Amino acid sequence: METMITAKPTTWAEVNEQGDLVIPRDMVEQFGLMPGARVRMESDTNHVRLHRPVTHLAKVYIEPTIYCNLDCRTCIRNVWDEKLGLMTEANFARILAGIQSVSPRPSVFFGGLGEPLFHKRTIEWIAQAKTAGAQVEMITNATLLDEEKARQIIEAGLDILWVSIDGATPDSYTDVRLGAQLPRVIENVMTFRRLRSGGHYAKPEIGIAFVAMKRNIADLPEVINIAKRLGARHFKVSNVLPYTDELRDEMLYTRVLSDLAYMPAPGIPRISLPKMEFNDQTMGPLFKAMSSGFNVNLAGNNLGGANDVCNFIESGSISVGWDGSVAPCLPMLHTHAHHFKNRQHLVKRHILGNIAEHNLLDLWLEPEYVQYRERVHSFAFAPCTFCGGCELLDANEEDCLGNVFPSCGGCLWAQGVIQCP
């Protein structure tokens, strides 16, 4: 099969006679660069980077339910005592109205702490969000993805279907996702793929999400092969969030949180590495170079660039829980605790308001919340991940720099350790 390679499109801005930078109209609209918007800028030797204005709502996470049909080893329910429920039609209608009030339309992601297909209205809501003009994604364990639901999802117009697969064999998969069978999941996704319209760019696209632990990291290459057989165009790997003592022993990132290779702090010497073959001959020397105490730049990309960056804020997102509660991010939708180095870190939920009582856009543009997003943009929080912690790390209420609730210094998402699709 031939691989078609096309030239990378080039977008140009220009400086007018007044010395103002003029950006193409489609990019202005795509990133909410409207008159009056404040745009954060960063520069290095060869680049100027413009960040999305904090006033631009670009993505809405919707949690249809926190019910699930599985009992996974990695699930928060193992240590959680919280009311379970389903989103109401009225609350979704309020979310949809908020989405329709934003131009261009924000994308929509159906996910959260439950299985979206457990809710009988999720597929209908996908169709409504698509009719409203949004791009729509959903994540599922695919155990409920029978042929009828597959046809309905495709007809609804879903853009990307994310499927969680955490093992490459029936035994290793069931070891993580108790109550599920890998052959059935693969069969369901293959049926879904077959039912789509043909073509090189068939929709919905398929994505695979993998949660990496000591017990399953050896399966990663074969899970990637499974993704290829399923026709996946997206593959995302996250570390495990250790809610339990058992999961703390499964972590693959203990040293990463304080490794100088990932800390672009002033005064730390830097090493620049090129692209090269990664094989038995190079793995050892490269590992030692990356563990040398230098800050590592790999082919022009600083490996510390994933530190102190909230992708929820950077992507212009907001999260709505099953009960209508609105939070800045998925982690703060629900109070939970997880292990952090040698301490247990309590993340208390931070709710901006409820969609049943407030307009989505009003909550987004509330001045105090806009100021919070600006603070997260600059990430002026305590360096908890590098420091290792004191008693202030026991909860996200305050930190040693004087930041008050919610303080984000101990956020593993902001350090590039935990990733959501």
Side-chain angles (χ1 to χ4, degrees), residues 127-306:
Q128 291 179 24
K130 284 298 299 180
T131 299
Q135 174 170 308
V136 184
E137 302 177 42
M138 181 183 72
I139 189 166
T140 177
N141 59 42
T143 58
L144 302 177
L145 185 67
D146 56 26
E147 183 170 338
E148 180 182 4
K149 284 189 175 65
R151 292 183 184 276
Q152 292 172 349
I153 290 170
I154 294 167
E155 185 177 349
L158 186 73
D159 292 285
I160 303 177
L161 179 77
W162 287 91
V163 179
S164 296
I165 298 181
D166 299 324
T169 68
D171 288 343
S172 63
Y173 177 85
T174 304
D175 181 52
V176 176
R177 296 194 166 266
L178 286 69
Q181 297 178 339
L182 181 61
R184 173 59 62 85
V185 168
I186 292 176
E187 180 183 348
N188 288 349
V189 181
M190 289 295 287
T191 298
F192 179 86
R193 181 190 184 191
R194 175 176 54 81
L195 292 172
R196 300 180 306 176
S197 298
H200 291 292
Y201 304 101
K203 288 290 186 76
E205 295 178 354
I206 295 170
I208 301 299
F210 178 85
V211 177
M213 297 172 278
K214 289 179 181 177
R215 71 192 315 128
N216 72 349
I217 189 62
D219 279 15
L220 179 58
E222 184 55 33
V223 174
I224 293 173
N225 288 332
I226 291 173
K228 292 177 181 178
R229 294 199 300 271
L230 294 175
R233 295 182 61 84
H234 311 273
F235 195 103
K236 178 151 289 195
V237 180
S238 175
N239 281 290
V240 69
L241 189 64
Y243 300 114
T244 63
D245 291 339
E246 179 189 35
L247 291 180
R248 178 181 57 185
D249 295 334
E250 294 285 348
M251 291 167 50
L252 294 168
Y253 51 90
T254 304
R255 288 185 56 193
V256 167
L257 296 177
S258 56
D259 196 324
L260 293 178
Y262 304 97
M263 300 292 162
I268 296 178
R270 298 173 180 269
I271 182 172
S272 182
L273 299 174
K275 293 181 180 179
M276 66 175 65
E277 293 180 9
F278 196 64
N279 54 34
D280 292 340
Q281 189 175 14
T282 62
M283 280 191 296
L286 283 174
F287 175 77
K288 290 181 179 179
M290 294 178 69
S291 305
S292 61
F294 284 68
N295 175 244
V296 177
N297 185 291
L298 180 62
N301 297 289
N302 195 299
L303 297 188

Side-chain angles (χ1 to χ4, degrees), residues 72-80 113 240-248 251 253 330-331 334-340 344-345 347 413 418:
C72 297
R73 188 181 299 276
T74 55
C75 187
I76 192 174
R77 291 173 188 78
N78 296 317
V79 294
W80 201 21
L113 296 181
V240 69
L241 189 64
Y243 300 114
T244 63
D245 291 339
E246 179 189 35
L247 291 180
R248 178 181 57 185
M251 291 167 50
Y253 51 90
L330 287 175
H334 304 281
T335 297
H336 64 277
H338 63 82
H339 291 285
F340 188 96
Q344 191 173 58
H345 181 57
V347 179
W413 281 263
I418 308 294

